Amino acid sequence: MSTKMKRFTIGVDDATAARLDRLKQVKYYNKSQCKMIQDLIIAGLDATNDGMSLKEDCTATRAQP
């Protein structure tokens, strides 16, 4: 991972904050919260991009009802 990182801020509801706190206690007890959030973002991106070719745009699309 690059040593030069971008910073940004997100907001989460109380239920999500509680889930993140629990994950930090259980799995990331010896790592920083930043590392935990980085891992979660990467896992989410990997899951979102499964089945997408590298040439496809990765912007979200919503199916029309």
Side-chain angles (χ1 to χ4, degrees), residues 6 10 19 23 26 29 31-32 35 43 46 48 51 62 65:
K6 289 206 171 250
I10 62 167
R19 291 176 69 188
L23 179 64
V26 172
Y29 57 88
K31 295 190 173 116
S32 69
K35 174 62 175 153
D46 289 347
T48 300
R62 182 178 286 193

Side-chain angles (χ1 to χ4, degrees), residues 11-36:
V12 296
D13 60 26
D14 289 342
T16 303
R19 291 176 69 188
L20 290 169
D21 288 343
R22 182 68 181 141
L23 179 64
K24 176 75 169 99
Q25 292 171 359
V26 172
K27 187 172 179 183
Y28 287 87
Y29 57 88
N30 63 344
K31 295 190 173 116
S32 69
Q33 184 179 29
C34 183
K35 174 62 175 153
M36 178 183 74

